[in-house]
């Protein structure tokens, strides 16, 4: 009888501990703040979808680096929950990004957004390390992330390749920037990093037809091992990303592994009526896979490109609302250009964007601050 009781107690204990087992980041040494962020986001995706905007805090259509300014806030009175920043050209050791934004100012805004309680995500349109060394008079995209003229690039920067040392220098510079991202108490700020994005397309030198699946996966693993294991950086959540895909098999081509990745994300812009069905299908299999792997998920770039004045509430919201997504992010409102790069009709369709903001399904900064995702006292 005594033995039976003990067995039962042990069984109950093991059931309880199983029920309490929360998902954890891929990095076993993730900092406390990174672990808390990961678990909060894991939970939050069942409650609502955060809105994110690229470069929202750096500039807008009509302004450039103004204190506390944000296009999202201009229209809704609130900041986006997720602030995106771009690191292209950090690898070159220069002061400004490929979009002419100062890296010092990016670091300041990252700290500010974290202090306010928001989520930070970083993208990296890094140059082409092979062709940028070739001096010639060809115009854009020569030497940029969009230069797909050589299929040797990924292999050449991996160990054994002739540009491996150069790539290490680039990763060192990236690491130095990451290490500088600390809060007022000197604690590393956790963030989502989404390099080598839109792999299913072939417009970047790491794209699907430009390197092999094995090379792509090795590029990811090498980068994460460098930052995490060599540089001891443990405040990063890594986002795997593709552009439009029609099957899970296509989505997972080149996936570097569950021990590397924290988030399964997708980029899809609206290029016509078929978008609705395509997005619906893709989010279906991506979010399902994320759940089965205990990972986060996001529609990490999207935007309207067919001139609809009610796109936010008639297309985006009904589709994304069906899925447990962490966030949807629209791309940048490039300064002083007539055309929107983001495809996010902030300015033309403000009324509809306000309705999107008002929806109980969407979360902006105030709502996630209330949700206390960093568990601040
Ligand atoms: C792209 C465009 C480019 C920009 C790049 C990095 O999609 O917006 O103009 O340089 O993102 O922000």
């Amino acid at each position: 009888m005594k033995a039976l009781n003990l067995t039962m107690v042990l069984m109950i204990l093991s059931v309880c501990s199983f029920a309490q087992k929360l998902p954890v980041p891929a990095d076993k040494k993730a900092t406390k703040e990174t672990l808390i962020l990961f678990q909060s986001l894991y939970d939050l995706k069942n409650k609502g979808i955060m809105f994110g905007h690229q470069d929202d805090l750096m500039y807008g259509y009509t302004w450039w680096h103004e204190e506390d300014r944000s296009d999202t806030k201009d229209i809704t009175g609130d900041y986006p929950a997720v602030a995106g920043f771009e690191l292209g050209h950090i690898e070159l050791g220069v002061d400004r990004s490929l979009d002419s934004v100062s890296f010092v100012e990016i670091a300041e805004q990252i700290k500010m957004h974290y202090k306010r309680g928001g989520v930070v995500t970083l993208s990296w349109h890094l140059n082409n390390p092979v062709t940028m060394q070739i001096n010639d008079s060809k115009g854009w995209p020569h030497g940029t992330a969009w230069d797909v003229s050589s299929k040797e690039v990924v292999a050449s920067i991996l160990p054994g390749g002739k540009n491996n040392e150069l790539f290490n220098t680039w990763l060192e510079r990236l690491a130095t920037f990451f290490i500088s991202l600390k809060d007022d108490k000197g604690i590393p700020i956790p963030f989502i990093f989404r390099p080598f994005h839109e792999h299913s397309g072939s417009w970047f030198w790491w794209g699907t037809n430009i390197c092999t699946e094995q090379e792509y996966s090795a590029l990811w693993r090498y980068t994460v091992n460098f930052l995490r294991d060599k540089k001891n950086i443990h405040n990063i959540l890594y986002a795997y990303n593709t552009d439009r895909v029609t099957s899970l098999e296509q989505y997972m081509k080149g996936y570097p592994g569950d021990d590397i990745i924290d988030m399964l994300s997708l980029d899809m812009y609206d290029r016509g009526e078929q978008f609705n069905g395509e997005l619906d299908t893709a989010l279906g299999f991506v979010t399902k896979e994320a759940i089965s792997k205990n990972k986060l998920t996001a529609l990490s770039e999207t935007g309207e490109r067919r001139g609809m004045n009610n796109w936010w509430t008639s297309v985006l919201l009904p589709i994304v609302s069906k899925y447990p997504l962490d966030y949807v992010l629209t791309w940048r409102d490039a300064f002083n250009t007539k055309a929107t790069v983001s495809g996010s009709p902030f300015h033309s369709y403000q009324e509809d964007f306000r309705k999107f903001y008002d929806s109980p399904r969407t979360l902006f900064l105030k709502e996630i601050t209330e949700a206390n995702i960093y568990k601040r006292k």
Side-chain angles (χ1 to χ4, degrees), residues 126-332:
L126 64 164
N127 265 4
N128 183 319
V130 171
T131 60
M132 69 162 274
Q133 295 182 57
I134 306 166
N135 246 335
D136 66 19
S137 53
K138 281 184 210 150
W140 194 90
H142 177 74
T144 70
W146 292 265
D147 184 341
V148 291
S149 59
S150 163
K151 295 194 174 185
E152 313 299 320
V153 183
V154 176
S156 93
I157 60 176
L158 290 172
K162 69 173 189 293
N163 292 305
N164 182 241
E165 270 316 303
L166 173 67
F167 189 52
N168 287 345
T169 309
W170 287 13
L171 291 176
E172 279 288 347
R173 290 180 178 140
L174 183 71
T176 302
F177 180 79
F178 285 168
I179 291 166
S180 78
L181 301 175
K182 298 202 170 101
D183 72 5
D184 294 342
K185 292 185 194 131
I187 295 170
I189 295 172
F191 61 89
I192 298 163
F193 184 40
R194 188 174 61 94
F196 316 125
H197 63 304
E198 300 180 357
H199 173 59
S200 62
S202 293
W203 44 84
F204 294 126
W205 54 258
W206 53 85
T208 192
N209 294 330
I210 321 295
C211 62
T212 67
E213 265 181 66
Q214 290 76 11
E215 284 165 355
Y216 182 73
S217 165
L219 172 66
W220 252 107
R221 297 192 69 84
Y222 186 77
T223 302
V224 174
N225 289 336
F226 191 101
L227 297 170
R228 181 178 73 185
D229 307 327
K230 193 164 167 215
K231 302 305 296 182
N232 254 307
I233 302 176
H234 298 292
N235 50 319
I236 309 179
L237 296 174
Y238 291 93
Y240 175 75
N241 179 259
T242 72
D243 193 74
R244 80 187 41 228
V245 281
T246 52
S247 69
L248 181 62
E249 195 196 351
Q250 189 192 2
Y251 181 78
M252 297 303 279
K253 268 189 176 178
Y255 181 70
D258 293 344
D259 58 330
I260 296 284
I261 296 299
D262 297 293
M263 169 179 272
L264 301 188
S265 70
L266 179 77
D267 288 6
M268 250 173 117
Y269 285 86
D270 186 337
R271 295 189 177 89
E273 260 169 43
Q274 73 285 3
F275 172 77
N276 299 31
E278 286 174 359
L279 179 68
D280 202 345
T281 307
L283 287 182
F285 57 73
V286 171
T287 55
K288 194 166 162 220
E289 186 68 6
I291 288 170
S292 81
K293 289 181 177 299
N294 276 345
K295 305 291 181 192
L296 308 175
T297 44
L299 180 56
S300 42
E301 285 187 41
T302 189
E304 195 274 345
R305 287 183 178 171
R306 51 175 149 148
M308 291 179 70
N309 63 7
N310 56 354
W311 182 80
W312 293 98
T313 55
S314 72
V315 176
L316 186 64
L317 190 58
I319 300 171
V320 296
S321 294
K322 291 167 67 176
Y323 300 103
L325 272 179
D326 282 297
Y327 68 84
V328 295
L329 180 143
T330 52
W331 207 241
R332 66 200 196 101

Side-chain angles (χ1 to χ4, degrees), residues 54-55 59 86 98-99 123 125 146 269 301 331-332 341:
Q54 183 72 2
D55 274 348
Y59 55 81
E86 165 61 31
L98 77 167
D99 300 321
S123 54
H125 290 71
W146 292 265
Y269 285 86
E301 285 187 41
W331 207 241
R332 66 200 196 101
V341 189

